[in-house]
Amino acid sequence: MDPRSSRLAQRLAEADQSHLLQFWKELSPEEQADMTVELETMDFQEINGFFKRAMKLSGSNKQEKVDTRMEPVPREVLGSVTRDRDCLKDWEQEGLHCIAQSKVAVLLLAGGQGTRLGVSYPKGMYDVGLPSHKTLFQIQAERILKLEQLAGQQHKTKCCIPWYIMTSGRTMDATKEFFSHHNYFGLEKDNVIFFQQGMLPAMDYNGKVILESKAKLSMAPDGNGGLYRAVGANGIVEDMERRGIGLIHVYCVDNILVKVADPAFIGFCVQKGADCGAKVVEKTNPTEAVGVVCKVDGRYQVVEYSEITLATAETRTSDGRLAFNAGNVANHFFSLSFLQDVVKTHEPQLQHHVAQKKIPYVDEQGRLIKPNKPNGIKMEKFVFDIFQFAKNFVVYEVLREDEFSPLKNADSQDGKDTPTTARHALMSLHHRWVLNAGGHFIDENGTRVPAIPSLKDGTDLPIKCEISPTVSYGGEGLEVLVKEREFRPTLVIDETGTHELVKNGV
């Protein structure tokens, strides 16, 4: 071994990870060089510490339910699109004013591949089958464009919403190439900033790093809570400061209905003086496997469904609502100063969560084994783990049918969170926008379709209707296009006008 490799072997021995070099002599010089670079970038003592703390936390969490320490979100920190209708216009105006001053940035968590959708490319590049065939990335980019336009027109100024996109090692190149190929969907290239979240090795239950091949470690992204370390490591906070950003909207790529930089949410948080806010949807079914935002020991956090008893999940208030009903949808507001505090002070205190996984590995003979039961862990942090550090935390409740339809699974019979459910959710929302703007739909016989379709056979599909975000961000401005008009589906409204597509898509 040359001196560099010897030093590496010494470091690995001290960290009890010498097995990583067990196939060293069988590797080509190129493989040895690549592996040396990969191993030299890793702090194995730190990784061993992460493992010990994560396993300890995981062990204690298994035993303990948090029911007795929980309390629901108090009404005074809650804003609701249904219960606070009188305030919505005010909040929206406040948000548009902040956007017009170019104080608002958007931070997108886009590290996920579409593996569960049956594709190997980044989830944001997925087309759910809308008439326009727009991808999630394009829909979100066009919402940003429209919002810049709305705020700019209202305040007679030119403004900009910078878009920071966190990818993972596996999605970075494909994402950048996709944006470049599509000319950044009309956004200024300089205002779309890509950065990469960290990776951590997968480990077996004894704390040994797993090899996925003789020359390669099994690596995985460090969870969406890796955002804070990545933001620090990539100079993102400094870039925001340089641009004069003060308010940040953080969200996940997979929600087709996401109101990117939602002015009402931002305005609500600003008027409440919040440093951190969470958008939630009402959880109506006690056993729905969604985390709830609540207080535990007086601090805000998200409690997963598995951490509470059924009795607590089923508790209802006097008005019949679930007591713990603030369903988390990975949609958050931060002030820049709060994000700075998190990056500088709190991030190192965040614990890793343990995800038990079936992790392919090479055995001592160098054969690739694909286990049929979990054989190790991946460690990840969650984006909401920082709620506990907020000095003024608020919660903003929105309607699920208007704002939340995640894309997680491939299409299947009665599938949940699939391309079909996402497509239907968006078309159903756009159908309602047309009706609210005074338009009507007619069937092939020219008969008006009732506004609330009959659900007698349970198979009713939404009216096929798609409105480009470049025309309307949230249903506004459609009267001039649809009022008192009748349309046959499929209806597409885009910047060139209204179009009725017949069966073959003409």
Side-chain angles (χ1 to χ4, degrees), residues 156-192:
K156 300 187 174 41
T157 182
K158 187 171 182 346
C159 61
C160 151
I161 303 171
W163 197 10
Y164 296 88
I165 300 177
M166 184 174 84
T167 68
S168 62
R170 296 189 183 128
T171 62
M172 177 61 112
D173 292 344
T175 303
K176 284 175 87 166
E177 204 175 295
F178 189 69
F179 271 77
S180 175
H181 181 71
H182 290 279
N183 243 342
Y184 296 84
F185 306 104
L187 294 164
E188 294 276 338
K189 180 183 175 181
D190 291 346
N191 297 330
V192 181

mmCIF file of all heavy atoms in Angstrom, residues 156-192:
data_model
loop_
_atom_site.group_PDB
_atom_site.id
_atom_site.type_symbol
_atom_site.label_atom_id
_atom_site.label_comp_id
_atom_site.label_asym_id
_atom_site.label_seq_id
_atom_site.Cartn_x
_atom_site.Cartn_y
_atom_site.Cartn_z
ATOM 1 N N LYS A 156 -46.774 47.660 -9.337
ATOM 2 C CA LYS A 156 -46.094 48.399 -10.416
ATOM 3 C C LYS A 156 -44.564 48.351 -10.273
ATOM 4 O O LYS A 156 -43.891 49.371 -10.181
ATOM 5 C CB LYS A 156 -46.583 49.853 -10.459
ATOM 6 C CG LYS A 156 -48.081 49.949 -10.706
ATOM 7 C CD LYS A 156 -48.558 51.360 -10.929
ATOM 8 C CE LYS A 156 -50.035 51.417 -11.320
ATOM 9 N NZ LYS A 156 -50.925 50.496 -10.594
ATOM 10 N N THR A 157 -44.063 47.128 -10.214
ATOM 11 C CA THR A 157 -42.620 46.940 -10.046
ATOM 12 C C THR A 157 -42.212 45.612 -10.679
ATOM 13 O O THR A 157 -43.066 44.791 -10.996
ATOM 14 C CB THR A 157 -42.255 46.941 -8.544
ATOM 15 O OG1 THR A 157 -40.844 46.814 -8.412
ATOM 16 C CG2 THR A 157 -42.906 45.794 -7.789
ATOM 17 N N LYS A 158 -40.917 45.414 -10.859
ATOM 18 C CA LYS A 158 -40.422 44.111 -11.332
ATOM 19 C C LYS A 158 -39.886 43.389 -10.110
ATOM 20 O O LYS A 158 -39.150 43.971 -9.325
ATOM 21 C CB LYS A 158 -39.316 44.334 -12.372
ATOM 22 C CG LYS A 158 -38.869 43.043 -13.043
ATOM 23 C CD LYS A 158 -37.936 43.332 -14.205
ATOM 24 C CE LYS A 158 -37.466 42.116 -14.965
ATOM 25 N NZ LYS A 158 -37.632 40.817 -14.425
ATOM 26 N N CYS A 159 -40.302 42.157 -9.915
ATOM 27 C CA CYS A 159 -39.838 41.447 -8.725
ATOM 28 C C CYS A 159 -39.400 40.036 -9.097
ATOM 29 O O CYS A 159 -39.604 39.582 -10.221
ATOM 30 C CB CYS A 159 -40.933 41.399 -7.663
ATOM 31 S SG CYS A 159 -42.423 40.534 -8.209
ATOM 32 N N CYS A 160 -38.808 39.370 -8.135
ATOM 33 C CA CYS A 160 -38.249 38.060 -8.420
ATOM 34 C C CYS A 160 -38.406 37.162 -7.197
ATOM 35 O O CYS A 160 -38.238 37.609 -6.067
ATOM 36 C CB CYS A 160 -36.782 38.266 -8.790
ATOM 37 S SG CYS A 160 -35.756 36.887 -8.404
ATOM 38 N N ILE A 161 -38.778 35.905 -7.443
ATOM 39 C CA ILE A 161 -38.836 34.888 -6.384
ATOM 40 C C ILE A 161 -37.740 33.867 -6.685
ATOM 41 O O ILE A 161 -37.924 32.994 -7.541
ATOM 42 C CB ILE A 161 -40.218 34.177 -6.354
ATOM 43 C CG1 ILE A 161 -41.358 35.185 -6.172
ATOM 44 C CG2 ILE A 161 -40.247 33.109 -5.270
ATOM 45 C CD1 ILE A 161 -42.750 34.589 -6.350
ATOM 46 N N PRO A 162 -36.572 33.953 -6.041
ATOM 47 C CA PRO A 162 -35.533 32.961 -6.320
ATOM 48 C C PRO A 162 -35.997 31.565 -5.893
ATOM 49 O O PRO A 162 -36.702 31.419 -4.889
ATOM 50 C CB PRO A 162 -34.348 33.415 -5.458
ATOM 51 C CG PRO A 162 -34.682 34.773 -4.986
ATOM 52 C CD PRO A 162 -36.158 34.925 -5.030
ATOM 53 N N TRP A 163 -35.588 30.581 -6.682
ATOM 54 C CA TRP A 163 -36.014 29.185 -6.459
ATOM 55 C C TRP A 163 -34.764 28.365 -6.160
ATOM 56 O O TRP A 163 -33.917 28.157 -7.019
ATOM 57 C CB TRP A 163 -36.697 28.678 -7.726
ATOM 58 C CG TRP A 163 -37.535 27.450 -7.557
ATOM 59 C CD1 TRP A 163 -37.919 26.846 -6.400
ATOM 60 C CD2 TRP A 163 -38.139 26.684 -8.618
ATOM 61 N NE1 TRP A 163 -38.720 25.757 -6.659
ATOM 62 C CE2 TRP A 163 -38.870 25.643 -8.007
ATOM 63 C CE3 TRP A 163 -38.127 26.785 -10.002
ATOM 64 C CZ2 TRP A 163 -39.572 24.690 -8.752
ATOM 65 C CZ3 TRP A 163 -38.825 25.850 -10.743
ATOM 66 C CH2 TRP A 163 -39.547 24.812 -10.130
ATOM 67 N N TYR A 164 -34.637 27.940 -4.897
ATOM 68 C CA TYR A 164 -33.507 27.103 -4.476
ATOM 69 C C TYR A 164 -33.966 25.644 -4.499
ATOM 70 O O TYR A 164 -34.951 25.298 -3.841
ATOM 71 C CB TYR A 164 -33.056 27.492 -3.064
ATOM 72 C CG TYR A 164 -32.521 28.903 -2.979
ATOM 73 C CD1 TYR A 164 -33.376 29.983 -2.729
ATOM 74 C CD2 TYR A 164 -31.165 29.176 -3.152
ATOM 75 C CE1 TYR A 164 -32.887 31.281 -2.648
ATOM 76 C CE2 TYR A 164 -30.667 30.473 -3.080
ATOM 77 C CZ TYR A 164 -31.540 31.519 -2.833
ATOM 78 O OH TYR A 164 -31.054 32.802 -2.759
ATOM 79 N N ILE A 165 -33.267 24.827 -5.252
ATOM 80 C CA ILE A 165 -33.717 23.445 -5.456
ATOM 81 C C ILE A 165 -32.685 22.480 -4.872
ATOM 82 O O ILE A 165 -31.553 22.398 -5.351
ATOM 83 C CB ILE A 165 -33.952 23.167 -6.951
ATOM 84 C CG1 ILE A 165 -35.029 24.126 -7.485
ATOM 85 C CG2 ILE A 165 -34.342 21.706 -7.185
ATOM 86 C CD1 ILE A 165 -35.322 24.011 -8.968
ATOM 87 N N MET A 166 -33.085 21.782 -3.801
ATOM 88 C CA MET A 166 -32.180 20.813 -3.190
ATOM 89 C C MET A 166 -32.370 19.448 -3.839
ATOM 90 O O MET A 166 -33.445 18.860 -3.768
ATOM 91 C CB MET A 166 -32.396 20.705 -1.679
ATOM 92 C CG MET A 166 -31.380 19.766 -1.029
ATOM 93 S SD MET A 166 -31.452 19.717 0.788
ATOM 94 C CE MET A 166 -32.768 18.511 1.040
ATOM 95 N N THR A 167 -31.313 18.975 -4.479
ATOM 96 C CA THR A 167 -31.333 17.659 -5.106
ATOM 97 C C THR A 167 -30.488 16.717 -4.256
ATOM 98 O O THR A 167 -29.884 17.127 -3.271
ATOM 99 C CB THR A 167 -30.727 17.721 -6.517
ATOM 100 O OG1 THR A 167 -29.327 17.996 -6.365
ATOM 101 C CG2 THR A 167 -31.358 18.812 -7.360
ATOM 102 N N SER A 168 -30.441 15.455 -4.667
ATOM 103 C CA SER A 168 -29.516 14.521 -4.017
ATOM 104 C C SER A 168 -28.447 14.159 -5.041
ATOM 105 O O SER A 168 -28.553 14.519 -6.219
ATOM 106 C CB SER A 168 -30.262 13.272 -3.569
ATOM 107 O OG SER A 168 -30.797 12.606 -4.695
ATOM 108 N N GLY A 169 -27.437 13.437 -4.598
ATOM 109 C CA GLY A 169 -26.376 13.017 -5.524
ATOM 110 C C GLY A 169 -26.937 12.311 -6.734
ATOM 111 O O GLY A 169 -26.439 12.439 -7.851
ATOM 112 N N ARG A 170 -28.040 11.572 -6.520
ATOM 113 C CA ARG A 170 -28.588 10.768 -7.609
ATOM 114 C C ARG A 170 -29.433 11.581 -8.575
ATOM 115 O O ARG A 170 -29.693 11.148 -9.692
ATOM 116 C CB ARG A 170 -29.447 9.638 -7.032
ATOM 117 C CG ARG A 170 -28.606 8.676 -6.195
ATOM 118 C CD ARG A 170 -29.436 7.463 -5.817
ATOM 119 N NE ARG A 170 -28.636 6.598 -4.973
ATOM 120 C CZ ARG A 170 -29.027 6.137 -3.803
ATOM 121 N NH1 ARG A 170 -30.217 6.457 -3.347
ATOM 122 N NH2 ARG A 170 -28.255 5.354 -3.096
ATOM 123 N N THR A 171 -29.915 12.734 -8.125
ATOM 124 C CA THR A 171 -30.838 13.492 -8.990
ATOM 125 C C THR A 171 -30.258 14.807 -9.518
ATOM 126 O O THR A 171 -30.865 15.430 -10.370
ATOM 127 C CB THR A 171 -32.166 13.813 -8.244
ATOM 128 O OG1 THR A 171 -31.868 14.629 -7.102
ATOM 129 C CG2 THR A 171 -32.878 12.557 -7.785
ATOM 130 N N MET A 172 -29.101 15.212 -9.017
ATOM 131 C CA MET A 172 -28.552 16.538 -9.362
ATOM 132 C C MET A 172 -28.354 16.724 -10.869
ATOM 133 O O MET A 172 -28.893 17.660 -11.464
ATOM 134 C CB MET A 172 -27.224 16.752 -8.623
ATOM 135 C CG MET A 172 -26.535 18.064 -8.969
ATOM 136 S SD MET A 172 -27.499 19.541 -8.560
ATOM 137 C CE MET A 172 -26.525 20.226 -7.246
ATOM 138 N N ASP A 173 -27.575 15.839 -11.505
ATOM 139 C CA ASP A 173 -27.240 16.047 -12.922
ATOM 140 C C ASP A 173 -28.482 16.025 -13.800
ATOM 141 O O ASP A 173 -28.657 16.882 -14.674
ATOM 142 C CB ASP A 173 -26.234 14.984 -13.398
ATOM 143 C CG ASP A 173 -24.873 15.184 -12.735
ATOM 144 O OD1 ASP A 173 -24.645 16.278 -12.174
ATOM 145 O OD2 ASP A 173 -24.055 14.250 -12.760
ATOM 146 N N ALA A 174 -29.359 15.045 -13.560
ATOM 147 C CA ALA A 174 -30.577 14.926 -14.380
ATOM 148 C C ALA A 174 -31.471 16.153 -14.210
ATOM 149 O O ALA A 174 -32.060 16.652 -15.177
ATOM 150 C CB ALA A 174 -31.343 13.656 -13.995
ATOM 151 N N THR A 175 -31.568 16.667 -12.978
ATOM 152 C CA THR A 175 -32.420 17.835 -12.711
ATOM 153 C C THR A 175 -31.875 19.074 -13.421
ATOM 154 O O THR A 175 -32.610 19.793 -14.113
ATOM 155 C CB THR A 175 -32.512 18.095 -11.189
ATOM 156 O OG1 THR A 175 -33.006 16.915 -10.551
ATOM 157 C CG2 THR A 175 -33.439 19.250 -10.879
ATOM 158 N N LYS A 176 -30.570 19.315 -13.286
ATOM 159 C CA LYS A 176 -29.967 20.495 -13.924
ATOM 160 C C LYS A 176 -30.111 20.432 -15.441
ATOM 161 O O LYS A 176 -30.442 21.416 -16.093
ATOM 162 C CB LYS A 176 -28.483 20.581 -13.536
ATOM 163 C CG LYS A 176 -28.268 21.081 -12.126
ATOM 164 C CD LYS A 176 -26.811 21.036 -11.712
ATOM 165 C CE LYS A 176 -26.072 22.290 -12.119
ATOM 166 N NZ LYS A 176 -24.767 22.368 -11.425
ATOM 167 N N GLU A 177 -29.893 19.243 -15.976
ATOM 168 C CA GLU A 177 -30.000 19.060 -17.426
ATOM 169 C C GLU A 177 -31.431 19.315 -17.906
ATOM 170 O O GLU A 177 -31.658 19.947 -18.935
ATOM 171 C CB GLU A 177 -29.597 17.610 -17.742
ATOM 172 C CG GLU A 177 -29.106 17.395 -19.155
ATOM 173 C CD GLU A 177 -28.626 15.955 -19.332
ATOM 174 O OE1 GLU A 177 -27.625 15.570 -18.684
ATOM 175 O OE2 GLU A 177 -29.290 15.223 -20.073
ATOM 176 N N PHE A 178 -32.400 18.835 -17.134
ATOM 177 C CA PHE A 178 -33.814 18.987 -17.479
ATOM 178 C C PHE A 178 -34.202 20.468 -17.518
ATOM 179 O O PHE A 178 -34.859 20.940 -18.449
ATOM 180 C CB PHE A 178 -34.664 18.233 -16.452
ATOM 181 C CG PHE A 178 -36.132 18.119 -16.805
ATOM 182 C CD1 PHE A 178 -36.548 17.328 -17.858
ATOM 183 C CD2 PHE A 178 -37.094 18.799 -16.067
ATOM 184 C CE1 PHE A 178 -37.902 17.212 -18.181
ATOM 185 C CE2 PHE A 178 -38.442 18.694 -16.373
ATOM 186 C CZ PHE A 178 -38.840 17.898 -17.431
ATOM 187 N N PHE A 179 -33.773 21.214 -16.504
ATOM 188 C CA PHE A 179 -34.077 22.650 -16.457
ATOM 189 C C PHE A 179 -33.406 23.385 -17.617
ATOM 190 O O PHE A 179 -34.015 24.231 -18.264
ATOM 191 C CB PHE A 179 -33.645 23.252 -15.121
ATOM 192 C CG PHE A 179 -34.708 23.181 -14.061
ATOM 193 C CD1 PHE A 179 -34.973 21.991 -13.406
ATOM 194 C CD2 PHE A 179 -35.458 24.300 -13.741
ATOM 195 C CE1 PHE A 179 -35.971 21.918 -12.438
ATOM 196 C CE2 PHE A 179 -36.464 24.235 -12.776
ATOM 197 C CZ PHE A 179 -36.716 23.037 -12.123
ATOM 198 N N SER A 180 -32.157 23.034 -17.872
ATOM 199 C CA SER A 180 -31.416 23.686 -18.950
ATOM 200 C C SER A 180 -32.088 23.401 -20.297
ATOM 201 O O SER A 180 -32.313 24.305 -21.110
ATOM 202 C CB SER A 180 -29.977 23.157 -18.928
ATOM 203 O OG SER A 180 -29.278 23.667 -20.011
ATOM 204 N N HIS A 181 -32.458 22.133 -20.507
ATOM 205 C CA HIS A 181 -33.105 21.717 -21.759
ATOM 206 C C HIS A 181 -34.420 22.470 -21.983
ATOM 207 O O HIS A 181 -34.785 22.781 -23.109
ATOM 208 C CB HIS A 181 -33.344 20.203 -21.702
ATOM 209 C CG HIS A 181 -33.993 19.643 -22.931
ATOM 210 N ND1 HIS A 181 -33.331 19.544 -24.140
ATOM 211 C CD2 HIS A 181 -35.245 19.176 -23.149
ATOM 212 C CE1 HIS A 181 -34.161 19.036 -25.040
ATOM 213 N NE2 HIS A 181 -35.324 18.801 -24.465
ATOM 214 N N HIS A 182 -35.141 22.757 -20.888
ATOM 215 C CA HIS A 182 -36.445 23.440 -20.996
ATOM 216 C C HIS A 182 -36.328 24.944 -20.727
ATOM 217 O O HIS A 182 -37.333 25.596 -20.422
ATOM 218 C CB HIS A 182 -37.459 22.803 -20.039
ATOM 219 C CG HIS A 182 -37.871 21.430 -20.462
ATOM 220 N ND1 HIS A 182 -38.818 21.195 -21.436
ATOM 221 C CD2 HIS A 182 -37.430 20.210 -20.084
ATOM 222 C CE1 HIS A 182 -38.954 19.893 -21.613
ATOM 223 N NE2 HIS A 182 -38.121 19.270 -20.804
ATOM 224 N N ASN A 183 -35.085 25.454 -20.842
ATOM 225 C CA ASN A 183 -34.900 26.903 -20.711
ATOM 226 C C ASN A 183 -35.428 27.451 -19.395
ATOM 227 O O ASN A 183 -35.976 28.551 -19.341
ATOM 228 C CB ASN A 183 -35.608 27.616 -21.860
ATOM 229 C CG ASN A 183 -34.602 28.355 -22.696
ATOM 230 O OD1 ASN A 183 -33.488 28.593 -22.250
ATOM 231 N ND2 ASN A 183 -35.007 28.732 -23.892
ATOM 232 N N TYR A 184 -35.311 26.657 -18.340
ATOM 233 C CA TYR A 184 -35.743 27.058 -16.992
ATOM 234 C C TYR A 184 -37.228 27.452 -16.959
ATOM 235 O O TYR A 184 -37.661 28.200 -16.096
ATOM 236 C CB TYR A 184 -34.840 28.183 -16.455
ATOM 237 C CG TYR A 184 -33.420 27.693 -16.288
ATOM 238 C CD1 TYR A 184 -32.540 27.685 -17.375
ATOM 239 C CD2 TYR A 184 -32.970 27.164 -15.090
ATOM 240 C CE1 TYR A 184 -31.258 27.173 -17.254
ATOM 241 C CE2 TYR A 184 -31.686 26.660 -14.962
ATOM 242 C CZ TYR A 184 -30.835 26.668 -16.045
ATOM 243 O OH TYR A 184 -29.573 26.150 -15.926
ATOM 244 N N PHE A 185 -37.989 26.919 -17.920
ATOM 245 C CA PHE A 185 -39.447 27.132 -17.983
ATOM 246 C C PHE A 185 -39.809 28.613 -17.930
ATOM 247 O O PHE A 185 -40.843 29.002 -17.376
ATOM 248 C CB PHE A 185 -40.151 26.358 -16.850
ATOM 249 C CG PHE A 185 -39.808 24.894 -16.838
ATOM 250 C CD1 PHE A 185 -38.927 24.377 -15.898
ATOM 251 C CD2 PHE A 185 -40.326 24.041 -17.797
ATOM 252 C CE1 PHE A 185 -38.580 23.037 -15.913
ATOM 253 C CE2 PHE A 185 -39.978 22.695 -17.817
ATOM 254 C CZ PHE A 185 -39.110 22.193 -16.878
ATOM 255 N N GLY A 186 -38.939 29.446 -18.513
ATOM 256 C CA GLY A 186 -39.244 30.885 -18.580
ATOM 257 C C GLY A 186 -38.697 31.688 -17.419
ATOM 258 O O GLY A 186 -38.775 32.911 -17.415
ATOM 259 N N LEU A 187 -38.167 31.013 -16.386
ATOM 260 C CA LEU A 187 -37.565 31.743 -15.265
ATOM 261 C C LEU A 187 -36.140 32.167 -15.629
ATOM 262 O O LEU A 187 -35.516 31.577 -16.509
ATOM 263 C CB LEU A 187 -37.519 30.849 -14.015
ATOM 264 C CG LEU A 187 -38.888 30.464 -13.423
ATOM 265 C CD1 LEU A 187 -38.735 29.298 -12.462
ATOM 266 C CD2 LEU A 187 -39.528 31.646 -12.707
ATOM 267 N N GLU A 188 -35.636 33.178 -14.955
ATOM 268 C CA GLU A 188 -34.245 33.602 -15.166
ATOM 269 C C GLU A 188 -33.315 32.526 -14.616
ATOM 270 O O GLU A 188 -33.451 32.124 -13.448
ATOM 271 C CB GLU A 188 -33.983 34.913 -14.402
ATOM 272 C CG GLU A 188 -34.759 36.102 -14.904
ATOM 273 C CD GLU A 188 -34.079 36.775 -16.088
ATOM 274 O OE1 GLU A 188 -32.866 36.595 -16.241
ATOM 275 O OE2 GLU A 188 -34.791 37.451 -16.847
ATOM 276 N N LYS A 189 -32.355 32.127 -15.432
ATOM 277 C CA LYS A 189 -31.418 31.073 -15.013
ATOM 278 C C LYS A 189 -30.733 31.406 -13.675
ATOM 279 O O LYS A 189 -30.547 30.538 -12.817
ATOM 280 C CB LYS A 189 -30.367 30.889 -16.120
ATOM 281 C CG LYS A 189 -29.350 29.825 -15.812
ATOM 282 C CD LYS A 189 -28.275 29.725 -16.890
ATOM 283 C CE LYS A 189 -27.218 28.716 -16.469
ATOM 284 N NZ LYS A 189 -26.136 28.587 -17.443
ATOM 285 N N ASP A 190 -30.359 32.680 -13.497
ATOM 286 C CA ASP A 190 -29.639 33.085 -12.279
ATOM 287 C C ASP A 190 -30.493 32.993 -11.022
ATOM 288 O O ASP A 190 -29.972 33.051 -9.907
ATOM 289 C CB ASP A 190 -29.136 34.537 -12.402
ATOM 290 C CG ASP A 190 -28.035 34.639 -13.446
ATOM 291 O OD1 ASP A 190 -27.513 33.583 -13.841
ATOM 292 O OD2 ASP A 190 -27.724 35.770 -13.866
ATOM 293 N N ASN A 191 -31.805 32.895 -11.211
ATOM 294 C CA ASN A 191 -32.706 32.836 -10.052
ATOM 295 C C ASN A 191 -33.163 31.415 -9.736
ATOM 296 O O ASN A 191 -34.050 31.210 -8.915
ATOM 297 C CB ASN A 191 -33.925 33.742 -10.281
ATOM 298 C CG ASN A 191 -33.512 35.191 -10.421
ATOM 299 O OD1 ASN A 191 -32.507 35.604 -9.840
ATOM 300 N ND2 ASN A 191 -34.243 35.961 -11.212
ATOM 301 N N VAL A 192 -32.553 30.441 -10.410
ATOM 302 C CA VAL A 192 -32.813 29.030 -10.098
ATOM 303 C C VAL A 192 -31.480 28.452 -9.616
ATOM 304 O O VAL A 192 -30.523 28.357 -10.381
ATOM 305 C CB VAL A 192 -33.329 28.257 -11.329
ATOM 306 C CG1 VAL A 192 -33.620 26.800 -10.964
ATOM 307 C CG2 VAL A 192 -34.585 28.923 -11.891
#
